[in-house]
Every structure is written in C-alpha cells, then in structure tokens.
C-alpha cells in the first residue's frame, strides 16, 4: 500500500516534471536532469554529514537515451573508513559494459547512470579510522565508476605493489571476478579447464587458472578475433565451432560470454562428471537448459557471481573480496599472471561517447581503459563548491535553440582565417543578364581583390547600364558582342534559367570561362550538353553556389573533414517560403519584371530548382557523398507548364546514408529552413542556426553537447566564391565548384522531377553515368 | 511404435502403439501430471526382465517381479539424488513432487520437510515452473538437484537471476535406467515394495483420485 509520504513525493515529482515539460524539455532531458540533481544532492548531503569539503572532477555518465559523456562530478572528502582517490586509469570491461550500455536484460547501471568497475590512482584524502593507507599512496580501487575522482571504503582500496602500472592495477575488480571462476571451478594442479568466451573476464580467468596450476586446454569463441589474446594467455587451443567444443572434454568449463545460450556450448565442452561455472552474467533467458544432458553426463552447473563472495565472507568471517583482490595483485606483481596486453587502448575520457558507440559493434576489443591523466589537472581534481549550480543543460539530446556558447577562440582554432588570403591574378568579368541576381554577383565581384566587372549586357539596356555604372563597365549591344571582347576573361550568366545554356554556349564558343548562376540550366539534356561543350572547348565552367563559403559552412566543412560525423548516415533539408504574388512577376526586388519563374518550360521547375539547389549542393559538399536514388512527390502535374510549389523527396546516398528534402514556396506565414547532417559520431546543423554536436573531443569542442560556432567573421561568401574562382583560373587549379558539381546537383533535381512524374524511384547514378 | 499410454478425455488411460504380451508399464504420478491430454505419457516398460524407458533398454537375468525391477530402477535415481543432497549441504532439504521418486527420496533423507529457504531442493517433478520456483526458494548458495523427468519439455531459465547471481549449484540425479538395476537396488526394492506398492490400473478405466504415487498399468487386469 502506498504511504502518504510516497504519494506526496510522487505528486511533487509530477508537478516538477509537468512544469519542466511545459518549459520545452524532452523526457530524456528530464531523466538526465533527475540524475544530475540526485548526484549533486548526494554529494552535498555526504559533504555536510562528513563535515567536509567537496572535490570537483569529471566522470562518465550514461544518459537515458544511451549516450555517454563526460559530466561534472562532485565527491565529498571521505567519511570515516573511506578514501578519496584521484584516478589515473579506470578499466573497461567491454562485454559487460556493452551489455549495460545497450540496456540488455539482466543489466543495471543504477539510477545515477555511472558505469565502471575499478580504477587505479593516488589517494588524495583519507577519512577518520583509516590506518593502513596514507595520502599519496598508489592504490587500486574496486567497485568505483569511471571518474577522475572516486570515493571508496578503504577495504576496497589495495596498495599497488611495485612494478604494476595503473592500467594493470585497475583490473583488480575484474581479477576478483575472474578468480571466482577458478575458485568455483575448483581448478588446481592438473585440472583440465576450458573457457567459453574470449573477452576480458574470460582471458583473466584463463590466466589465473593457469597460475593456479590448471591446464587451459581451450578457449571457445564465436570468431577468431580474440584468438591471439587467448593463446598469449596460455590456452592450448582456440576453438570456434560447436563440434570443436564437443571434443574438448574439459574437467571444468568456465562460461564467460554472458550469452544466455553460452551454457549450451559449455555443456558440450565438458567431460562427463565435469563442472560448469557460470562466470559471465547471462543477458536474458536461456530458452532450453538441457537438464537431461546435465543428468546424463553428470554435470554440475555453478553460479559464480562476484556478489556471492559476500556469502563466503559471512561464512568465513573474513573479507573474501579483499583476499581475492590482494591475491590477484600479487599474481600480477610476480608476473605469474600477465595483464599488460589486456589493458587495451587508452581512451581519452572526453571520447567516451564515440568509444561506447564503437564498443557496441566492435567485438574484437578484449580490453580498454580510460586514461584520466589525459585530462587537464584542474579538470581531474580541484576544490568543489557547495553552491555550484547543477549542470542540467543540453545533456545529449537536442537542445533546440539553446546550444552552449563555444569556448573562447574556437573560431581561431578552427582555422577560419582570411578567406581572401592567397588571391591571385585579376579576372575581368562580363555579365550576361542584369536582373536581380546580377546585382548580387556584380557586387561580389567588386569586393573580390582579384576580379572586376568590365562589361554588361541585358536586352533591357537600362538594366545593363545601371549595373555597369558603379563598376565603370561597358555596356554591349548583344551577348555575342560581350563575349567577343578580348578583355573579357570570364562571363557570369545571370539570366532566367532557360537562357543559361544558350548564353553560356555563346561564351564557351568565344573561349571564355563561365560562371552560371545556379542552376546550371533549366533541363537535364541542355545541362549535359553544356558541360560537354565546356570540356570540349577547354574552358572552365562553374556554377555559383556561394553558400559553400559562408563562415558557418566553412567551419562545418572543416569539422566534417576532421571526422565530426564519423560515418555519414543522414541529411535533412527543408525550406519553407511564403512567396508573394508579386514575386512571380518581378522576383524579390521587382527590378526585372517577368513571369518566367512560374513557367516550367523556362524555369525548369519551382522551389526545388529555384531555391533548394543551394541546399542540395551543400549536402554534397559537406557529406562528400553523392545521392544515388530518389523517390519524390510534388504538387505539380506531369503535363502542363505549372511549376511545383511543394516537393518532398527521399534520398539514398552512395554510402547507404539516407536523406530528405522538403520544400514549399507557398507555406503561408513561414519563412525558414533546416539543413542538418549526421553520422555515427556527430551531427552538424547549418540552418536554422549553425551548431554542432560531437560525440568525441575534437578541436576544442565539448563532446556530448550542442554548441554554436560563436561569433564568426562577417564577409561576403559570394565574393569569396568569385575570388577563389579567379585565383583558380589564373593559376590553372581546379575551381571549387566544378561543372561536374553543377551537373550532379542538376541530376538530383532531374531525378526528383522524373520520380514525381512517374511515381517511381529514379537513379541519379544512372543519369550521371549516361551523361559521361 | 513403442508402446505407451495416453490420457484421454474423462481421465481415462488408453494404450497406444503395439503392446506386446506380458508387458506392463509403470508410471510415476509426476510423469502423468506433466503430460498434456492425448499426448504420450512417459512409461517404464517391463517385459519379463527387460526394462525400457524411452530410448534406453536393458535386459538381464533376474527373478525379480516387474514391480521390483521397476521400483529398483526408480530407487537408483532417488538414491543418487539423496547422495547428492547429503554431500551438498548438512542443512535442511526440501523435496518437490508427489510421485514415487519423491516418496523414495523423502524416505531416505533425514530431514525432508518444507523450509522457507532450504539449502537443498530435490525436484522430482521435471516441471519448468516448479523448478523455477525451487530455484527461487533456495537459500543463496544452495543446491538444486533435478531428479524429475523433463521428457523433452523445454526448461527456460534466467540463469542470471536464478543461478549465477545467487551462487546456486544445479545438478541432476542420474538418469532413470542408465543401466539395468543393480542387485542391491533390486534387493532394497523388494524390501520396500509392500510399503509403496503401485496402484494397479487398466485400459479404459478412469484414473483414481489423488493419493497414488505410481501405478502399474496393463491392458487387462492382472
């Protein structure tokens, strides 16, 4: 029956949860906040009870959503009979921690979500009544979480014998666990024993068993990934098949896999009358325990969980855990049990997120340890404050519009230097088409240190004149006349889409380099012809995708190149525009009235080709992977001249990643965009606000936190585009946006329209291959 | 087809398979309890001095009656369970089941009374739920001895909670009819038989109410 107190507590909690939920926090965040507050409160209650100060460090926490990260940890200075240790290394038990991380059955990490087994370090503080240990002693500590600071009973702290490294000593708890297999198996001189499972606990059991005089006849595993560790540990054979297991006939079989069906393999590997020790914790129900076989072969099954040592202690009256721990360290010190090769790679605790994610799929890892010495000293251990505010923000889940501010100097560390640096040459541009976008492009060229506008043409002469005037440029009577000018090095096509190909062709035939305002053309076949023509003429053809050079994009690209995403897994693009009726006859400015934007024959399409082509290019640019297939729908019918107002497309990429494009140009009341890419190790969003979420530590970013890019330099990305284009054509280097890039974006748009018209999936790859 | 029995609607035992002349079947009450309606019941068949239990078949020269031979075979299982129990722990032992094997184990153990957390439980039911409950009832570090017949039934177990975590030891008494019953077992069985005689049953008659531990079945009354 629920007590009044419990009811009141539940009601109070529901009140808090309701208020926080209304404040916009996700359920996952609530659980993490709860954990943080519990830990925060516990440490302070302990500190007050002990009348002691707090120490502040870092620890690894697993959140409710399955992420791992480094969090602030306060620990009280130790109470009576306890010690506080600044850890150098904490050992990872891959099998168990993988199971715990994956929340498999029969696993628990506790309310505080603090994984870990044991560690080694130096005592920084001792409580009253601790007589056999002193501050400064190197100790191994059993039963403590992965953290830079740990508090433990002095009975769980073992002075480290000389000659043992921190990572070796940190295995003390696993050594105690593994020794359970040896003790319960009654392994002694001459005992023929086998171990099922090649993980860390199994490897330790093998080595301890051999040190006790047993004969390690075999290790049985599912694959050969851990064979070398098994053989290095003294196993006489390594078996991967069930038939092979049946031939082992060991007196004792230690089952260490944790696989609920692993006991069946152990039973096969045992000789009649043998003893099977359950050392691994089975993660689920064994569907069919073969009791008949157990009886027929006179086998005995023994549970050997480490907690059963407490039963033993109550029987013997001595601390059996301590006895086992001391014995293990003694064996290691005497080199009767070698563990240096089992300590595995040193993991930077700041990389806990990607490490645990990797652990879920990488079964080759026998051992690993967190190296806490990699953290700056002031993060590992410093004086804590009772009044420190709990850090409850942005714990692993989408913080929406509240990313953390970046650490000072992030942009500098990310090498966002002067984007105009290194400009070479001086390229003279002619502009064909002097409407809306021409003003942006001519302005950008004017700002570029190595480019200038020298000629303009538009059928509406006043537009050409107004554009040319600020640059002191000439106005020509025709496109051909502009392209024929010997002082024109390159031409920028700023005309309606259906004129891109014909105008660019005039320029190419005149031997001019060409920049086409996006898109390349208004249809697929003319785009292919244009790219071929440029290649044939030996001129540079580029498409104006200046968003690649926005400061945030530059930072994002830098981070992605450094491995932010890990394996690219997905991208999402959405663009919502509420275009007014005036737009369709005059564009955004009304500078050049025309209805070409609402004609499919002229524009080639609607919001996809007109606006989303930028985003498609950005996704390709950032991910470095091409779109392979598209399935799409639009609101436009296949016949007729109408363009689409709405488009939704599902993408698959060449590496298996998936993506989505959602666009609308008549989304009433909204103007907004989203552009995000994510992968196995991180997430980057450019819109609506640039921010990044790394699982690992890189370039000063904080793992497991959404964070913005901070104050980035302000400059014209379009001008950077023209500067870099000019440098490239001057030096003969490839331009940033090649004709093939333009064609690839065009292929995505073409495939989208074909899919929407046919109702079928369309291969972008096939389109591009046919074009080559 | 090996002769056997099945329990039909109305709690009537019927023969199935070819039933050779002079063959009698012995059934532990637990074997019947664990068998669904219309399925073949486990039987220990005795024909002269030939004993058959499932795939196991042994014959030897013996003047003992079928009842003595059957009881001797059952007694060897019970004795083995008792030996295992006595060597496992000096503490109290609980025996589950109401068949003849349970009775034989109880008779041979010094203390076989129900305890809240016994150190040893001998299960003679072969029933998954009973075994799981037995594991749950055992004291931490206790021993579970399985002496019941599972007859191919699955025994799902959460080995983590039921065995590993609590440091239990699980073992089994020797299989029924691992060999022809020894002379010593036959002699002991002959002495015990008057006190534990089987209930005689025949085809087509309804099973008696509770209270019987094992039965001797023949197609016609002896």
């Amino acid at each position: 029956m629920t007590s009044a107190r419990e009811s009141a507590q539940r009601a109070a909690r529901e009140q808090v949860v309701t208020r926080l939920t209304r404040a916009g926090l996700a359920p996952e965040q609530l659980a993490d906040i709860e954990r943080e507050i519990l830990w925060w409160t516990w440490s302070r209650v302990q500190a007050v009870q002990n009348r002691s100060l707090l120490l502040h460090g870092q620890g690894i926490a697993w959140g409710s959503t399955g992420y791992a990260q480094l969090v602030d940890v306060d620990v009280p200075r130790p109470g009576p009979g306890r010690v506080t240790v600044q850890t150098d290394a904490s050992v990872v038990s891959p099998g168990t921690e993988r199971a715990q991380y994956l929340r498999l059955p029969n696993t628990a990490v506790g309310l505080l979500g603090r994984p870990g087994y044991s560690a080694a370090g130096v005592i920084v503080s001792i409580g009253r009544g601790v007589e056999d240990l002193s501050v400064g002693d190197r100790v191994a500590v059993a039963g403590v979480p992965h953290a830079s600071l740990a508090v433990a009973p002095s009975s769980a702290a073992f002075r480290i014998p000389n000659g043992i490294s921190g990572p070796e000593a940190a295995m003390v708890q696993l050594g105690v666990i593994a020794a359970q297999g040896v003790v319960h198996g009654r392994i002694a001189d001459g005992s023929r024993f086998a171990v099922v499972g090649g993980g860390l606990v199994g490897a330790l059991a093998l080595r301890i068993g051999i040190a006790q005089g047993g004969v390690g006849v075999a290790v049985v595993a599912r694959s050969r990934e851990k064979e070398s560790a098994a053989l290095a540990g003294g196993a006489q054979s390594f078996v991967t098949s069930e038939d092979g297991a049946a031939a082992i006939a060991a007196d004792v079989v230690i089952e260490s896999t944790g696989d609920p069906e692993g006991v069946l393999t152990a039973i096969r590997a045992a000789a009649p009358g043998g003893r099977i020790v359950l050392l691994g914790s089975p993660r689920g129900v064994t569907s069919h325990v073969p009791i008949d076989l157990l009886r027929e072969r006179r086998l005995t099954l023994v549970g050997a969980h480490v907690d059963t040592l407490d039963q033993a202690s109550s029987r013997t009256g001595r601390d059996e855990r301590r006895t086992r721990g001391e014995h293990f360290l003694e064996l290691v010190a005497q080199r009767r049990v070698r563990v240096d090769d089992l300590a595995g790679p040193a993991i930077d605790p700041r990389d806990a997120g990607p490490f645990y994610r990797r652990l879920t799929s990488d079964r080759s890892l026998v051992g690993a340890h967190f190296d806490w010495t990699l953290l700056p000293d002031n993060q590992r251990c410093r004086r804590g404050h009772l009044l420190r505010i709990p850090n409850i923000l942005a714990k692993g889940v989408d913080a929406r519009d509240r990313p953390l501010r970046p650490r000072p100097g992030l942009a500098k560390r990310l090498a966002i230097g002067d984007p105009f640096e290194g400009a070479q040459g001086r390229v003279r541009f002619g502009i064909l088409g002097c409407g809306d976008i021409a003003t942006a492009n001519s302005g950008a060229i004017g700002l570029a240190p190595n480019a200038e506008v020298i000629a303009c043409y538009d059928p509406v002469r006043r537009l050409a004149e107004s554009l040319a005037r600020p640059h002191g440029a000439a106005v020509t009577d025709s496109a051909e006349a502009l392209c024929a000018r010997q002082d024109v090095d390159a031409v920028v096509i700023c005309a309606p889409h259906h004129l891109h190909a014909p105008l660019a062709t005039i320029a190419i035939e005149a031997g001019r380099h060409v920049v086409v305002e996006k898109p390349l053309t208004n249809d697929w076949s003319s785009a292919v012809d244009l790219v071929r023509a440029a290649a044939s003429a030996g001129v540079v053809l580029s498409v104006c995708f200046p968003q690649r050079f926005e400061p945030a994009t530059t930072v994002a690209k830098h981070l992605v190149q450094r491995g932010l995403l890990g394996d690219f897994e997905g991208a999402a693009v959405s663009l919502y525009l509420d275009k007014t009726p005036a737009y369709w006859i005059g564009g955004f400015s009304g500078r050049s009235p025309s209805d070409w934007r609402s004609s499919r024959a002229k524009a080639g399409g609607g919001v996809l080709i007109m606006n989303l082509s930028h985003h498609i290019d950005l996704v390709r640019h950032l991910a470095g992977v091409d779109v392979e297939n598209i399935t799409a729908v639009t609101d436009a019918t296949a016949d007729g001249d109408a363009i689409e107002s709405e488009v939704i497309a599902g993408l698959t990429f060449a590496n298996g990643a998936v993506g989505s494009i959602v666009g609308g140009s008549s989304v009433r009341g909204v103007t907004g965009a989203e552009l995000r890419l994510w992968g196995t190790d991180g997430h980057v969003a450019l819109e609506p606000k640039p921010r990044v979420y790394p699982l690992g530590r890189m370039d000063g970013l904080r793992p497991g936190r959404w964070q913005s890019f901070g104050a980035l330099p302000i400059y014209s990305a379009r001008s950077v585009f023209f500067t870099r284009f000019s440098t490239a054509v001057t030096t003969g280097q490839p331009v940033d946006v090649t004709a093939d890039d333009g064609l690839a974006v065009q292929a995505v748009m073409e495939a989208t329209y074909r899919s929407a018209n046919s109702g079928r999936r369309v291969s972008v790859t096939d389109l591009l291959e046919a074009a080559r | 087809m090996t002769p056997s029995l099945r329990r039909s609607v109305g709690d009537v035992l019927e023969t199935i398979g070819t039933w050779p002349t002079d063959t009698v079947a012995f059934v532990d009450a637990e074997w019947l309890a664990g068998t669904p309606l219309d399925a073949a019941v486990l039987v220990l068949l005795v024909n002269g001095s030939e004993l058959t239990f499932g795939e196991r078949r042994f014959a030897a020269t013996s003047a003992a009656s079928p009842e003595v031979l059957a009881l001797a075979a059952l007694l060897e299982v019970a004795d083995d369970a008792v030996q295992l129990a006595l060597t496992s722990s000096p503490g109290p032992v609980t025996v589950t089941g109401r068949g003849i094997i349970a009775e034989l184990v109880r008779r041979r153990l010094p203390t076989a009374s129900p305890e809240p957390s016994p150190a040893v439980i001998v299960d003679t039911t072969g029933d998954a739920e009973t075994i799981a409950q037995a594991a749950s009832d055992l004291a931490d570090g206790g021993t579970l001895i399985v002496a019941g017949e599972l007859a191919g039934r699955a025994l799902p177990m959460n080995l983590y909670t039921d065995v590993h975590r609590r440091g239990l030891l699980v073992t089994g008494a020797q299989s029924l009819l691992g060999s022809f019953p020894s002379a010593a077992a036959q002699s002991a069985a002959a002495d015990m038989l008057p006190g534990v005689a089987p209930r005689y049953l025949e085809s087509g008659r309804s099973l008696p109410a509770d209270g019987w531990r094992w039965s001797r079945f023949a197609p016609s009354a002896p």
Side-chain angles (χ1 to χ4, degrees), chain A residues 281-293:
Chain A
S281 297
R283 306 300 174 198
V285 173
T286 304
S287 56
H288 195 155
V289 179
I291 292 288
D292 288 338
L293 199 58

Side-chain angles (χ1 to χ4, degrees), chain A residues 730-750:
Chain A
T730 300
T731 60
Q733 299 296 311
V735 291
D736 294 304
V737 185
T738 65
D740 284 344
D741 287 331
L743 197 62
V745 173
Q746 193 88 30
V748 170
M749 297 186 295
E750 177 70 12

Side-chain angles (χ1 to χ4, degrees), chain A residues 468-667:
Chain A
R469 195 174 302 119
H471 299 277
V475 174
T476 65
D477 292 331
S478 67
E480 289 82 355
L482 185 146
C483 295
R485 287 178 62 122
Q486 291 304 306
D487 56 352
V488 170
D489 302 311
V491 171
V492 188
I493 312 295
C494 302
H497 295 173
H498 64 292
L499 299 176
H500 284 191
L503 291 173
T505 303
I506 293 170
I508 287 167
E509 287 174 350
R512 309 298 168 223
H513 301 306
V514 178
V515 174
V516 181
E517 175 56 35
K518 59 81 194 166
L520 188 52
T521 68
N522 65 331
D523 65 43
W524 175 242
S525 63
S526 66
V528 173
D529 291 344
L530 191 60
V531 172
R532 286 177 179 158
S536 173
V539 300
V540 173
L541 173 63
S542 182
V543 182
C544 190
F545 284 129
Q547 292 186 11
R548 287 189 181 198
F549 306 100
E550 292 287 351
T553 312
T554 307
V555 173
K557 178 68 177 173
H558 171 84
L559 293 172
V560 170
Q561 283 178 325
R562 295 286 304 275
L564 169 78
L565 299 183
D567 295 331
F568 168 56
E569 291 185 323
V573 167
S574 59
L575 180 65
Y576 305 115
L577 300 168
D578 186 0
K579 292 185 176 178
T580 64
Y583 168 85
W584 300 107
I585 55 172
F588 287 117
S589 71
R591 174 180 167 84
S592 175
S594 167
D595 62 357
W596 69 269
R597 294 177 180 84
S598 56
S599 160
R600 182 189 294 187
K602 293 175 181 171
V607 65
L608 178 70
I609 198 166
M610 187 69 74
N611 305 102
L612 281 161
S613 53
H614 280 302
H615 301 76
I616 295 167
D617 177 65
L618 280 179
V619 169
R620 287 188 69 250
H621 172 60
L622 289 171
V625 181
D626 268 321
V627 177
E628 201 167 64
N629 292 295
I630 292 184
T631 306
V633 290
T634 69
D635 65 326
T637 52
D639 52 353
D641 195 39
I643 58 162
E644 85 282 359
S645 293
E646 272 75 44
V647 59
I648 297 176
L651 322 177
T652 57
F653 290 83
N655 72 333
V658 296
S660 66
I661 296 174
V662 179
S665 57
S666 57
V667 186

Side-chain angles (χ1 to χ4, degrees), chain B residues 152-195:
Chain B
R153 286 172 293 173
L155 177 59
M157 278 186 93
N158 187 334
L159 290 174
Y160 177 75
T161 52
D162 293 348
V163 179
H164 177 54
R165 180 93 203 190
R166 298 176 48 223
L168 298 193
L169 188 145
V170 179
T171 190
Q174 71 173 55
S175 304
L176 179 62
L177 207 60
S179 60
F180 193 82
S182 67
Q186 289 180 45
S187 172
D191 291 345
M192 293 180 76
L193 187 60

Side-chain angles (χ1 to χ4, degrees), chain A residues 171-192:
Chain A
M171 285 190 217
V172 63
Q173 174 76 347
L174 293 173
V176 171
I177 290 170
Q180 280 285 84
V182 176
V183 171
H184 283 265
R186 299 176 184 165
I187 293 171
D189 284 346
S191 302
R192 296 179 73 258

Side-chain angles (χ1 to χ4, degrees), chain A residues 34 42 132 165 196 277 291 306 325 332 397 440 529 541 704 717 738 749:
Chain A
E34 193 171 18
W42 175 86
D132 52 343
S165 71
V196 178
V277 183
I291 292 288
V306 69
V332 176
V397 290
D529 291 344
L541 173 63
T738 65
M749 297 186 295

